[in-house]
Amino acid sequence: MNCDDYLSVLNEEQREAVVHSGSPLLILAGAGSGKTRVITTKIAYLIGELGYNPSSILAVTFTKKAANEMKERAVNLEPRSAYSQIRTFHSFGSWFLRSYSEESDFTISKNFTVYDDDDMITLLTKAVPHLTKKDAKHYAHKISLAKDYCLLPESEMLYTIEEDPCFPEIYSKYEERLRATGNVDFGDLILLPYLILHENESVRKSIQNRFKVIMVDEYQDSNVAQFKLLKELSGIDHGTQTYVCVVGDDDQSIYKFRGAEVQNILNFETEFPNTKIVRLETNYRSSTQILNCAENVVKNNCDRLGKRLISARGDGKKPTLVFLPTQDDETEFCRTLIEQAYENGIPYSEWAILYRTNAQSLGFETEFIHEKIPYSVVGTLKFYDREEVKDTIAWLSFILNKKDEISFRRIVNKPVRGIGNTTQEKIIDATRNCSILELGDDFKLTKKASEGWKNFKLVVEELSEMLPDDPSTSEAASLARTAGESESPAATESESRNLSSFIQAVILKSGLEEYHKEQDDNDGTQKISNLEELVNSAVLYPCTLQGLVDFIDHINLDKSAQEEDDGQDIDRVTLITLHNTKGLEFNRVIITGLETGLFPRSEKTADELEEERRLFYVGITRAKNDLYFTSCASRRLYGKTSPMAPSQFLNELGKGNVRVLGQKPSSYTGEKNEKNPLESKYCRGRFVYNDDYGHGQIIGTSKSEDGEFVVTVKFETGGIKKFLPKYQSSSLLVED
């Protein structure tokens, strides 16, 4: 394709980013601004117009899907792009280690394999024999985290990852055992290339001679190790002139829990001197009214580079904010809205329901199943298919029917009780046609299995005694669901007497809570949240044997209807967490659960609150045409109906930017919290003067632990200092 052809379809900002060369380039690519088009066009331009050897171009991103799309689109513009290195970070790390392992001081086989999490746990138990599998899993996670921050066993800052004084030794023994195998783990794929480049000048020169262009996509998602690897690849600290171009959006940095460090993009121009910044501010996805909401929210963050998205699609519809009495009303509202649109010819697939935690999908799944609305849950399993939910249901099923072999097999050795598959077979054979708990006392088990069996049997019997054999049914609950009421007699007379309290006891006494909480802590999952939502779903059932029967029937019927739907290839409503929406777009979006404590989550630090706000921004900018926000006055939490307050983010939308439906809570004013005047005066990029340090520029803003506004200034002398403008404004003068 001719250069003029692919440049002609770009707007002015995009073209500026594509043709730039020489100094480092930061492309601030707002949501829906066509960043992939810019990246791929730039690769084609570098090869076709500037004459770069395709093999001298390295472009890295975070997912295989994104890398494949980037390569395909670049090749369509310039066929020689096929010879460029367009990879994921980890794929590049693997290529690097296979190419240069023999020139490093690390004992890495050229034919190494990459150990996954399970392999790490196994190796740890061999390297440190006294560790239990549970402990090994914990330390394996901490070792991976340490490598993401480029911390070695001897690093002084290792305590920031794990305070256990034994951790450095455990980490060291693991590394010794890993190096002896000649293999690597996933953390090594970034850490080791960085260390080799940092310590081996000849390798560094070789790689810098090979790659003359380095491009990084989604740079706001990079971690510390990836940032350090980029610096070594570029040679910026060694006086080389490798051209570096990073693309990202500081307003869409939402993966701190995965190790992403937003400061990498915020400080890029500091780390790479003479950086050129190009802002892609033309949005091709959303209408102006939607973008106004997004801007109003995200500008409340202190630490951002700043940009203003301008819609190429016109004014559009004003987003709608809906206040609802309960979460049941919320699901009914969403269902009704989607159904009415469908009757008017709008496909289900145009709709997406967004929520903060995946546990929130249950209410929508239940409503859609009952009303026969097809849906898909993106990024995770449907609610009743999730491991922790199936575990709990298996416990409930076994309590009801102690002949249930399938449920027994699932729960008897989770957590581990020393009752393996062979022992399970013997127990089942010995108790066929009767209750499994009737296993005779004379039945021979190993000492460990015998102790585990006694414990398991005791828990089952204790839980069974908690359920009175009351002939009453949960008919009231059924009527409440049909009528859409939030509270039934079972829920209002005594919160402690509904089935939720029993299910909570099952989760606790069975050991499932501790078991799955450990997984949450290690892997960043939301299993405990899912268990809490299962507890909440039982609030309308009485705490009786019949109540449990009705609850299990309700689940089984929902699962059956779900399976029937799964066999059909039809358009569907999308149910998705806000984190999983990154990179997606939908014609019609409903962002749900906008209540304090749910979104944003409770007890957030200033930095964490800013990330929550960025997450909200990402959700808003997924919408193309229609956007709705929902907030409930009450919600079932931990098996109890609790009052809720509107999210602070709703006031930040601005009164004139949304249409409000429902009963407005007194705490909702529709007015944004006025920004501290100091924050406007001392904003990022502003030039200042200090008597002691001279002229400088504000390169960052933040909040202290006490909530005080802090500015970070880089002075012409090279020094970087922090100031509290509230107390130091007289010594930190803003230059006109």
Side-chain angles (χ1 to χ4, degrees):
M1 184 180 292
N2 184 280
C3 170
D4 292 337
D5 291 336
Y6 56 69
L7 288 181
S8 65
V9 300
L10 304 180
N11 63 37
E12 185 177 344
E13 306 151 349
Q14 293 171 331
R15 195 178 300 110
E16 182 183 9
V18 167
V19 303
H20 175 273
S21 62
S23 62
L25 176 63
L26 168 58
I27 303 174
L28 279 181
S33 62
K35 73 172 179 67
T36 305
R37 170 180 284 185
V38 170
I39 297 170
T40 54
T41 304
K42 191 172 183 71
I43 293 172
Y45 182 83
L46 288 166
I47 297 170
E49 293 302 309
L50 299 188
Y52 278 86
N53 185 330
S55 62
S56 72
I57 298 173
L58 171 64
V60 292
T61 187
F62 288 85
T63 67
K64 189 175 180 180
K65 180 182 177 182
N68 289 340
E69 182 185 0
M70 192 188 301
K71 189 159 193 169
E72 182 181 348
R73 292 176 65 169
V75 169
N76 286 338
L77 296 174
E78 169 56 69
R80 289 175 292 173
S81 300
Y83 300 101
S84 299
Q85 289 257 25
I86 303 176
R87 298 174 171 270
T88 65
F89 264 107
H90 288 98
S91 171
F92 170 77
S94 179
W95 171 87
F96 179 94
L97 291 177
R98 295 192 192 282
S99 301
Y100 294 98
S101 60
E102 295 179 355
E103 299 180 51
S104 75
D105 295 329
F106 300 100
T107 53
I108 306 169
S109 168
K110 193 172 184 178
N111 299 316
F112 63 79
T113 58
V114 182
Y115 283 171
D116 61 15
D117 292 346
D118 290 339
D119 296 328
M120 288 182 68
I121 294 167
T122 301
L123 193 65
L124 256 176
T125 58
K126 303 300 182 185
V128 190
H130 71 266
L131 291 181
T132 64
K133 189 172 181 178
K134 177 180 177 181
D135 290 337
K137 186 174 182 178
H138 170 79
Y139 288 118
H141 171 68
K142 295 296 184 177
I143 289 170
S144 294
L145 194 60
K147 291 187 177 186
D148 286 345
Y149 283 90
C150 288
L151 297 177
L152 301 175
E154 62 272 18
S155 299
E156 293 182 1
M157 298 299 292
L158 198 60
Y159 74 91
T160 61
I161 303 297
E162 172 59 61
E163 294 181 350
D164 184 349
C166 296
F167 179 55
E169 183 181 0
I170 292 170
Y171 185 4
S172 180
K173 288 182 177 179
Y174 167 80
E175 283 293 282
E176 183 180 348
R177 192 68 173 249
L178 179 61
R179 297 284 80 83
T181 68
N183 294 322
V184 299
D185 57 32
F186 273 97
D188 285 335
L189 294 179
I190 307 297
L191 174 63
L192 294 185
Y194 158 70
L195 291 175
I196 293 170
L197 288 166
H198 185 69
E199 298 168 0
N200 192 315
E201 185 179 1
S202 69
V203 175
R204 187 171 62 247
K205 286 183 176 179
S206 174
I207 207 76
Q208 289 166 3
N209 285 333
R210 169 159 185 166
F211 295 115
K212 303 301 182 183
V213 175
I214 302 172
M215 303 178 69
V216 184
D217 188 23
E218 302 288 4
Y219 187 63
Q220 78 281 342
D221 296 335
S222 60
N223 61 28
V224 170
Q226 289 159 341
F227 158 71
K228 290 190 173 187
L229 176 60
L230 174 63
K231 290 200 74 177
E232 292 299 329
L233 288 169
S234 70
I236 194 72
D237 293 333
H238 306 284
T240 57
Q241 298 296 315
T242 304
Y243 179 60
V244 175
C245 169
V246 301
V247 187
D249 184 2
D250 54 320
D251 290 333
Q252 297 190 72
S253 179
I254 60 173
Y255 296 127
K256 178 71 175 178
F257 66 97
R258 294 180 187 170
E261 180 52 73
V262 68
Q263 294 300 323
N264 288 351
I265 191 168
L266 293 176
N267 296 332
F268 184 82
E269 58 181 323
T270 302
E271 298 291 343
F272 291 82
N274 303 314
T275 290
K276 168 76 172 178
I277 298 180
V278 176
R279 289 173 167 83
L280 305 185
E281 296 179 311
T282 302
N283 177 284
Y284 297 94
R285 176 187 299 151
S286 307
S287 64
T288 297
Q289 299 261 29
I290 292 172
L291 294 181
N292 285 345
C293 286
E295 170 66 18
N296 266 18
V297 169
V298 80
K299 72 181 185 182
N300 287 275
N301 278 355
C302 294
D303 224 3
R304 60 189 295 257
L305 296 172
K307 63 184 173 305
R308 178 74 186 256
L309 294 180
I310 301 168
S311 175
R313 300 186 61 238
D315 202 41
K317 299 179 186 176
K318 184 174 288 188
T320 302
L321 169 58
V322 187
F323 290 106
L324 297 153
T326 72
Q327 68 194 77
D328 295 327
D329 295 301
E330 180 182 58
T331 57
E332 185 180 356
F333 168 79
C334 293
R335 184 260 302 168
T336 303
L337 186 66
I338 293 168
E339 275 188 335
Q340 290 175 348
Y342 185 74
E343 290 170 2
N344 290 320
I346 296 172
Y348 292 124
S349 57
E350 291 207 3
W351 290 94
I353 296 177
L354 281 51
Y355 36 79
R356 180 62 180 82
T357 66
N358 60 36
Q360 291 168 256
S361 76
L362 176 58
F364 299 106
E365 290 191 59
T366 301
E367 183 78 11
F368 290 176
I369 288 170
H370 289 171
E371 299 299 327
K372 300 189 183 309
I373 295 175
Y375 70 93
S376 62
V377 182
V378 176
T380 186
L381 297 169
K382 291 187 174 182
F383 188 84
Y384 293 122
D385 292 334
R386 296 168 192 170
E387 177 195 11
E388 60 280 8
V389 175
K390 293 176 76 171
D391 291 343
T392 307
I393 292 172
W395 265 96
L396 300 177
S397 299
F398 188 73
I399 288 169
L400 286 177
N401 177 13
K402 299 181 177 62
K403 295 180 181 180
D404 186 345
E405 175 186 337
I406 301 301
S407 295
F408 171 75
R409 290 181 184 276
R410 184 174 187 94
I411 64 177
V412 70
N413 207 40
K414 183 187 283 189
V416 174
R417 297 183 177 90
I419 307 172
N421 291 335
T422 302
T423 304
Q424 292 173 32
E425 291 288 349
K426 291 179 179 177
I427 293 173
I428 290 167
D429 286 343
T431 57
R432 201 164 304 277
N433 300 320
C434 65
S435 167
I436 294 174
L437 293 191
E438 292 180 13
L439 185 72
D441 293 336
D442 58 343
F443 192 81
K444 291 185 179 180
L445 295 170
T446 65
K447 183 179 180 181
K448 186 176 181 180
S450 179
E451 291 175 357
W453 174 252
K454 288 178 182 177
N455 174 266
F456 174 75
K457 186 177 179 179
L458 185 65
V459 172
V460 175
E461 290 174 343
E462 183 181 348
L463 289 169
S464 298
E465 290 174 1
M466 292 176 64
L467 285 177
D469 192 5
D470 191 324
S472 66
T473 70
S474 46
E475 190 175 344
S478 177
L479 291 172
R481 287 197 306 279
T482 304
E485 297 172 1
S486 63
E487 296 180 348
S488 69
T492 57
E493 289 175 9
S494 173
E495 294 283 3
S496 63
R497 280 183 281 181
N498 65 50
L499 193 63
S500 292
S501 59
F502 174 72
I503 296 176
Q504 184 66 67
V506 170
I507 293 168
L508 181 63
K509 293 179 181 295
S510 66
L512 290 180
E513 183 176 67
E514 183 181 358
Y515 178 83
H516 289 297
K517 186 177 185 304
E518 183 189 353
Q519 288 189 291
D520 280 358
D521 293 341
N522 289 336
D523 305 328
T525 53
Q526 298 176 353
K527 294 179 179 292
I528 295 299
S529 295
N530 289 329
L531 292 176
E532 290 170 354
E533 193 61 28
L534 183 66
V535 169
N536 295 335
S537 71
V539 74
L540 298 176
Y541 296 82
C543 192
T544 64
L545 192 63
Q546 185 60 49
L548 179 57
V549 170
D550 291 346
F551 181 65
I552 292 295
D553 279 349
H554 161 73
I555 290 173
N556 288 335
L557 289 171
D558 278 0
K559 288 170 66 179
S560 176
Q562 172 185 300
E563 288 165 3
E564 289 176 14
D565 173 64
D566 285 345
Q568 302 176 47
D569 186 17
I570 52 182
D571 72 312
R572 303 166 185 268
V573 178
T574 297
L575 304 181
I576 187 170
T577 66
L578 283 146
H579 277 104
N580 282 327
T581 63
K582 186 77 177 297
L584 303 177
E585 60 183 38
F586 306 92
N587 279 329
R588 294 167 171 83
V589 168
I590 310 171
I591 304 178
T592 62
L594 280 156
E595 301 121 32
T596 298
L598 188 58
F599 190 31
R601 307 293 292 275
S602 302
E603 300 177 356
K604 292 290 184 181
T605 65
D607 287 345
E608 290 170 337
L609 183 61
E610 291 209 351
E611 177 151 323
E612 289 279 288
R613 189 176 283 112
R614 291 194 294 267
L615 184 59
F616 189 32
Y617 173 86
V618 167
I620 293 172
T621 54
R622 299 311 95 190
K624 298 173 69 175
N625 299 318
D626 291 2
L627 176 61
Y628 295 82
F629 309 99
T630 63
S631 180
C632 300
S634 69
R635 189 173 291 274
R636 289 187 293 275
L637 300 171
Y638 314 108
K640 297 181 180 180
T641 301
S642 303
M644 306 296 288
S647 168
Q648 69 181 77
F649 296 156
L650 295 180
N651 281 331
E652 295 174 2
L653 292 169
K655 182 182 280 185
N657 290 317
V658 292
R659 181 168 64 105
V660 180
L661 302 178
Q663 184 64 46
K664 290 189 289 186
S666 58
S667 56
Y668 172 76
T669 64
E671 300 290 343
K672 301 190 293 288
N673 296 326
E674 289 299 318
K675 202 169 187 179
N676 186 335
L678 289 173
E679 295 180 23
S680 299
K681 181 178 179 181
Y682 294 94
C683 60
R684 175 185 277 271
R686 187 68 54 87
F687 290 94
V688 294
Y689 177 80
N690 180 269
D691 287 338
D692 295 326
Y693 304 105
H695 296 279
Q697 186 177 23
I698 298 174
I699 61 171
T701 59
S702 60
K703 292 286 181 65
S704 70
E705 292 183 358
D706 299 328
E708 298 286 0
F709 179 59
V710 180
V711 298
T712 303
V713 181
K714 183 180 181 182
F715 292 96
E716 292 179 351
T717 56
I720 296 178
K721 302 292 180 182
K722 291 183 182 289
F723 297 88
L724 294 169
K726 182 177 179 180
Y727 309 104
Q728 298 171 285
S729 59
S730 60
S731 62
L732 192 66
L733 304 177
V734 175
E735 299 182 353
D736 295 330

